[in-house]
Amino acid sequence: MDLTFSQEELAFRDEVRGFIRENLPADIRAKAGRVPYFEKADVVTWHRILDARGWAASHWPKEYGGPGWTAVQRYIFMEELLRVPTPEPLSFNINMVGPVIYTFGSEAQKAHFLPKIRSLDYWFCQGFSEPGAGSDLASLRTTARRDGDEYVINGQKTWTSTAHVADWMFCLVRTDPSAKKQEGISFVLIDMKTPGITVRPIITIDGHHHTNEVFLDDVRVPLANRIGAENKGWDYAKFLLGNERTGIARVGLSQSRLTRAVELAGTSTGHEPSLLQDASFRKKIIEAEIELKALEITAMRIIDRQRKRNDGHPDPASSILKLRGAETQQASAQLALDAAGPLAAPAGGHFPAGASAIDSPFVDADGAASVYLSSRAASIYGGASEVQKNIIAKTILGL
Ligand SMILES: Cc1cc2nc3c(=O)[nH]c(=O)nc-3n(C[C@H](O)[C@H](O)[C@H](O)COP(=O)(O)OP(=O)(O)OC[C@H]3O[C@@H](n4cnc5c(N)ncnc54)[C@H](O)[C@@H]3O)c2cc1C
């Protein structure tokens, strides 16, 4: 098993580092060191710079504007972005709806949506979860009734992150209420400006506005906005959820948080002498570093398997990366919180529209509590930890 990068892969890593060094706008770089989030405008700006280089959609096939990279190159690219850190390419667009459209969409849908998804002219949000339909997603109740060449959609989505700044939502709706629950679902794209849509904020435990409830009342959507066949949406959703776990270990994110925790522990934040001189705290940092190294090696083992298969399908073992990645992100956020000490009291206020602390690698001393609290969600979104354990038990351990 090869757990080291080849000479070509190291040269590629240098190329990515050089590109980021030369092209990341100074104001975004400066902000990244000081605040625990990027604003929507920063995400859009950096996304477009990457798109102009052909790198925004790092795992798309070349024919749809991807760079045609191997699994290893994609891994290196994402980890380098997280280590700097830069804003990340928008996962809803790049990891989720884009691949569904180029795999199952019509030629007209591909021609219209894919360039706008890559350039972030369209910001998508994900309308999957509903009250009573999260882990058990197939229980969703939002209905779409045919009326001429339109669907009339009624129901409620919840936890819809960034819906308040999104242009479009990809959405699962029930088109055949009489069918078995997985068989009556369709996958539709909804323009967020359509009459009948109400977006209501959910303020999460960190005190910020990342996510929303979305109410759909007689929302008219052209049949042409359905992706693939009617009632086959569950297949597309499963495909999408597999891709969602791409790059999920987020080693670079946890590494940045640990680095910040060490910095904070070395400065005077109310602890005298500094926390870094405390043997029990140093032990915690070392344990976290070891866990992170183990996670990185596991990620390398999984991409080594992908390197050999290279068939473009997600590996079921990515559930291990989701599970351990979430735990490591939470542990590193906890250490930064401990290191910030009394300065960790939340500053209060809301992030600007579209901003999110959830994925932020940076913890300013006075934002540590906010990042710690939002990191709790890492073991819920993208498939809860208990559900990952079920997948590991079944598909990997054969229990
Ligand atoms: C911050 C945040 C952002 C989110 N953003 C989005 C978004 O943009 N779009 C979207 O569609 N959704 C989003 N979600 C929703 C997320 O996908 C769901 O919260 C998640 O799937 C869990 O579903 P649930 O909340 O209904 O909890 P439930 O499914 O009710 O789970 C409750 C508890 O029971 C456990 N459990 C459930 N089933 C099993 C089982 N079979 N075996 C063992 N234990 C089980 C779970 O692990 C969990 O601990 C977001 C959630 C959060 C917290």
Side-chain angles (χ1 to χ4, degrees):
M1 183 173 303
D2 187 0
L3 299 181
T4 54
F5 293 131
S6 67
Q7 283 308 315
E8 292 75 31
E9 287 160 354
L10 289 173
F12 172 75
R13 190 176 69 182
D14 288 343
E15 185 189 349
V16 173
R17 284 184 181 169
F19 181 82
I20 295 171
R21 200 168 44 243
E22 283 158 30
N23 293 282
L24 183 65
D27 59 328
I28 298 181
R29 185 183 288 274
K31 204 178 284 182
R34 288 187 295 109
V35 295
Y37 59 84
F38 292 104
E39 294 170 39
K40 178 177 178 179
D42 297 331
V43 179
V44 172
T45 300
W46 180 234
H47 215 290
R48 290 189 179 152
I49 292 170
L50 290 175
D51 189 38
R53 180 71 176 80
W55 288 1
S58 62
H59 58 278
W60 291 17
K62 265 191 161 160
E63 59 180 308
Y64 301 121
W69 285 338
T70 62
V72 181
Q73 286 176 306
R74 296 195 296 262
Y75 176 81
I76 291 173
F77 175 71
M78 276 313 296
E79 292 302 332
E80 290 304 318
L81 294 188
L82 287 171
R83 271 175 221 273
V84 175
T86 75
E88 288 175 59
L90 187 68
S91 187
F92 298 126
N93 280 31
I94 301 301
N95 295 340
M96 300 190 204
V97 73
V100 170
I101 293 175
Y102 67 63
T103 308
F104 304 107
S106 66
E107 290 309 314
Q109 288 167 336
K110 290 182 205 176
H112 177 78
F113 284 103
L114 292 178
K116 293 186 164 63
I117 285 173
R118 269 199 340 256
S119 63
L120 261 193
D121 283 350
Y122 288 167
W123 180 297
F124 267 88
C125 63
Q126 177 185 25
F128 277 20
S129 304
E130 296 182 5
S135 304
D136 183 17
L137 186 57
S139 294
L140 63 92
R141 285 178 301 180
T142 294
T143 56
R145 175 178 55 79
R146 266 179 188 252
D147 184 21
D149 57 1
E150 292 177 323
Y151 288 119
V152 182
I153 300 183
N154 281 285
Q156 182 196 342
K157 296 291 168 181
T158 193
W159 301 114
T160 322
S161 301
T162 76
H164 53 304
V165 295
D167 306 298
W168 285 80
M169 174 166 68
F170 57 89
C171 197
L172 293 179
V173 292
R174 190 160 294 287
T175 32
D176 183 357
S178 63
K180 218 177 96 188
K181 65 180 182 179
Q182 283 86 355
E183 286 167 13
I185 292 171
S186 297
F187 190 109
V188 293
L189 308 181
I190 305 179
D191 184 336
M192 292 298 280
K193 291 188 294 300
T194 317
I197 300 179
T198 308
V199 177
R200 201 183 286 167
I202 298 175
I203 305 302
T204 38
I205 192 172
D206 58 353
H208 297 300
H209 181 195
H210 313 289
T211 195
N212 305 275
E213 295 177 292
V214 177
F215 298 88
L216 302 136
D217 295 304
D218 287 333
V219 175
R220 291 189 161 267
V221 174
L223 297 185
N225 286 11
R226 188 189 68 231
I227 303 293
E230 191 168 71
N231 298 326
K232 289 285 173 218
W234 187 247
D235 293 344
Y236 314 143
K238 278 193 300 189
F239 169 87
L240 180 148
L241 293 170
N243 285 328
E244 190 180 351
R245 279 183 235 127
T246 305
I248 204 76
R250 303 167 80 71
V251 171
L253 180 77
S254 297
Q255 185 62 63
S256 308
R257 283 183 183 161
L258 273 186
T259 306
R260 186 72 175 128
V262 171
E263 277 167 19
L264 285 167
T267 57
S268 179
T269 53
H271 301 278
E272 292 296 346
S274 88
L275 200 54
L276 208 51
Q277 286 160 39
D278 180 297
S280 67
F281 187 78
R282 283 215 305 273
K283 183 165 170 274
K284 284 186 198 164
I285 292 278
I286 291 163
E287 282 168 356
E289 292 276 7
I290 292 169
E291 286 294 336
L292 195 56
K293 194 38 114 181
L295 178 63
E296 190 169 23
I297 292 170
T298 307
M300 294 293 290
R301 283 169 51 200
I302 292 173
I303 60 173
D304 184 59
R305 284 189 353 187
Q306 283 172 348
R307 177 161 39 193
K308 286 174 187 140
R309 292 189 327 181
N310 217 9
D311 61 1
H313 293 296
D315 191 322
S318 59
S319 284
I320 299 173
L321 300 181
K322 169 68 177 70
L323 177 69
R324 297 297 293 139
E327 288 168 357
T328 315
Q329 285 165 51
Q330 291 172 344
S332 55
Q334 166 85 64
L335 284 169
L337 178 74
D338 292 348
L343 300 184
H350 291 273
F351 288 159
S356 168
I358 291 178
D359 295 328
S360 168
F362 273 87
V363 190
D364 280 342
D366 63 352
S370 170
V371 173
Y372 165 77
L373 290 170
S374 59
S375 78
R376 308 312 303 162
S379 48
I380 300 173
Y381 61 72
S385 287
E386 291 78 10
V387 172
Q388 303 310 321
K389 286 179 185 169
N390 285 345
I391 296 171
I392 293 166
K394 212 163 144 186
T395 62
I396 300 173
L397 302 176
L399 299 174

